[in-house]
Amino acid sequence: MSNPPKDLSPSRYDPDRGELDDLIAKVGQSMGISVPAYRIDQLWQGLYRDLLSPEDITTLPKNLRVPLAEHLPAALTEDTRSVGDGGGTVKWLWRLTDDALIETVLMHYNKRSTVCVSSQAGCAMACGFCATGQMGFERHLSTGEIVEQVIRAQLEAGDRRVSNVVFMGMGEPLANYDRTWDAVERLHGDLGLSARHLTISTVGLVPGIRRLATERLPVNLAVSLHAADDALRDELVPINRRYPLAELADACQEHIAKTGRRLSFEWALIHDVNDRPEDARRLASYARPLGAHVNLIPLNPTPGWPTRGSSPARVRQFADEVSFHGGNATIRQTRGTEINAACGQLRADRNNATNPVAVSAPEVRHVSR
Ligand code: SAH
């Protein structure tokens, strides 16, 4: 995976506070005026508290707003917006400044809203059942391109607070570690989101998980497991050949020990592939020592993967089997399936949104031990 050029900063949410301060001074200089120190606070509040474009930050004088707006563009242009679940789910296809396409999903729940953000355009991890994996890797997103997805979701949500952010959209966040982590710090420090409400999901990049364990902010870790024996996981999640299950468990253990955060595993149930009783038993014995919570997701349909998801009855049996063996599993409510916004269906292609796949949402069940 190549790193993007260092000057990758297409969004007004890329510069940090110091860089914005420098920018204000530079703009002032070019106009031959000295800008008072409090202007940075006004710009900062406009961007991070009021979520405004620089041209609309009326606390700033107009002669500053215009040049600041030129230097601080928006990175995301709405290409397509789709609404599903009776308004409960919104998916965007954004066009970036270099024409790359990414997707973001906003989900409203009773008391909170969650946004699922992309960290890369495409993905290099090549999980065959995932639509993003099927399209291949295009490029990393910048910090600002990640943060701006949250800002746009909050603008859409209006009075409802987007309190949770999950890095479960397109891409592998730990393969774009620095920008992902900068985005986490921005969301926490500047947008005021609690670290406990931020979740990074990974295919299982062991060095990234170990690094995450050393960070100051304890965020939640989700690992896309899908198989608890190496032979099957090598096939479903190819990175397992580099970081097999035993190493992955060690890294997860380290994350739990250092951060105190709960670990969760994602398991997409694929008919007759990983939904057999022995799969449930292996999963339970892998998850139990880590105290991990398992999210079971019936496999969502994608264009490049022929095998279907498990039937609702099979999903329930699997969940029961996991808890029988002492595991802790929940069946995840599928959101946005009819707009291809569900797990693993994000693929930057406009036809997606107009080619609905009708799958009804299974009810959520809590399976206790
Ligand atoms: N690359 C990261 C972030 C993506 S999260 C990761 O893999 O964790 C997206 C989640 O949806 C992952 O758990 C992924 O394995 C899962 N997923 C992918 N394709 C899916 C599908 N077709 N049906 C259900 N879940 C899927």
Side-chain angles (χ1 to χ4, degrees):
M1 273 151 279
S2 61
N3 276 329
K6 230 183 157 326
D7 61 354
L8 182 73
S9 56
S11 164
R12 63 175 65 122
Y13 291 98
D14 276 306
D16 61 23
R17 200 182 157 100
E19 288 164 336
L20 285 179
D21 208 8
D22 293 346
L23 176 66
I24 294 186
K26 201 177 89 183
V27 165
Q29 237 168 27
S30 71
M31 294 168 21
I33 56 168
S34 90
V35 183
Y38 58 80
R39 294 289 180 220
I40 177 64
D41 296 325
Q42 293 171 325
L43 176 59
W44 195 256
Q45 285 179 3
L47 290 176
Y48 287 91
R49 192 192 62 193
D50 305 329
L51 316 185
L52 293 170
S53 308
E55 58 268 35
D56 298 327
I57 304 176
T58 48
T59 47
L60 291 171
K62 193 148 191 190
N63 61 353
L64 272 184
R65 270 185 261 155
V66 175
L68 282 176
E70 264 167 39
H71 284 96
L72 298 170
L76 310 181
T77 304
E78 185 177 294
D79 185 290
T80 314
R81 180 174 169 281
S82 323
V83 180
D85 301 321
T89 303
V90 181
K91 178 177 91 163
W92 290 270
L93 176 62
W94 305 111
R95 186 173 295 281
L96 306 180
T97 46
D98 63 350
D99 281 341
L101 296 168
I102 58 156
E103 296 183 305
T104 305
V105 183
L106 171 66
M107 290 157 286
H108 296 300
Y109 298 94
N110 278 347
K111 293 198 184 113
R112 64 193 165 87
S113 298
T114 295
V115 62
C116 174
V117 297
S118 295
S119 56
Q120 298 178 317
C123 184
M125 296 297 120
C127 304
F129 55 87
C130 175
T132 310
Q134 290 158 17
M135 71 182 273
F137 178 68
E138 209 171 315
R139 73 163 170 88
H140 294 303
L141 299 192
S142 73
T143 301
E145 286 170 329
I146 299 172
V147 173
E148 214 179 301
Q149 294 173 64
V150 180
I151 304 275
R152 297 294 289 263
Q154 181 61 73
L155 287 170
E156 164 82 24
D159 289 344
R160 301 197 230 199
R161 180 159 152 79
V162 175
S163 56
N164 293 58
V165 177
V166 295
F167 288 76
M168 295 187 180
M170 294 168 72
E172 167 51 44
L174 298 185
N176 184 17
Y177 192 98
D178 292 342
R179 291 165 205 88
T180 293
W181 193 258
D182 276 358
V184 163
E185 298 214 319
R186 218 47 87 72
L187 298 177
H188 175 264
D190 303 316
L191 283 177
L193 294 176
S194 154
R196 287 180 302 130
H197 292 159
L198 307 177
T199 301
I200 292 188
S201 182
T202 177
V203 77
L205 298 187
V206 163
I209 295 173
R210 292 196 188 280
R211 196 170 157 197
L212 211 52
T214 67
E215 301 287 359
R216 186 180 55 92
L217 291 176
V219 298
N220 301 309
L221 177 65
V223 173
S224 299
L225 199 63
H226 309 309
D229 66 283
D230 280 315
L232 180 57
R233 196 164 192 269
D234 282 352
E235 285 194 18
L236 293 178
V237 183
I239 200 71
N240 192 69
R241 295 172 205 159
R242 176 125 43 112
Y243 304 114
L245 285 160
E247 267 184 59
L248 179 59
D250 285 349
C252 289
Q253 185 60 60
E254 186 177 328
H255 188 268
I256 296 164
K258 292 211 173 130
T259 64
R261 302 304 307 151
R262 191 170 73 161
L263 172 72
S264 57
F265 288 136
E266 319 292 314
W267 191 283
L269 282 158
I270 312 173
H271 180 72
D272 270 350
V273 172
N274 65 354
D275 68 349
R276 301 156 305 176
E278 64 264 34
D279 296 309
R281 185 175 38 77
R282 282 199 200 97
L283 165 58
S285 40
Y286 191 80
R288 232 185 307 119
L290 295 165
H293 180 90
V294 180
N295 283 313
L296 301 172
I297 317 154
L299 185 84
N300 291 308
T302 61
W305 182 260
T307 320
R308 63 191 162 90
S310 310
S311 66
R314 196 80 177 250
V315 170
R316 277 193 295 275
Q317 277 165 14
F318 189 89
D320 290 343
E321 193 74 18
V322 173
S323 53
F324 178 77
H325 290 289
N328 181 358
T330 307
I331 300 170
R332 184 184 278 177
Q333 185 184 14
T334 296
R335 297 289 293 259
T337 321
E338 85 273 28
I339 52 169
N340 283 351
C343 299
Q345 294 189 308
L346 301 184
R347 180 195 179 102
D349 136 15
R350 227 180 285 104
N351 295 332
N352 237 351
T354 54
N355 185 17
V357 181
V359 178
S360 59
E363 68 195 289
V364 186
R365 278 177 78 237
H366 293 280
V367 180
S368 54
R369 326 181 91 177

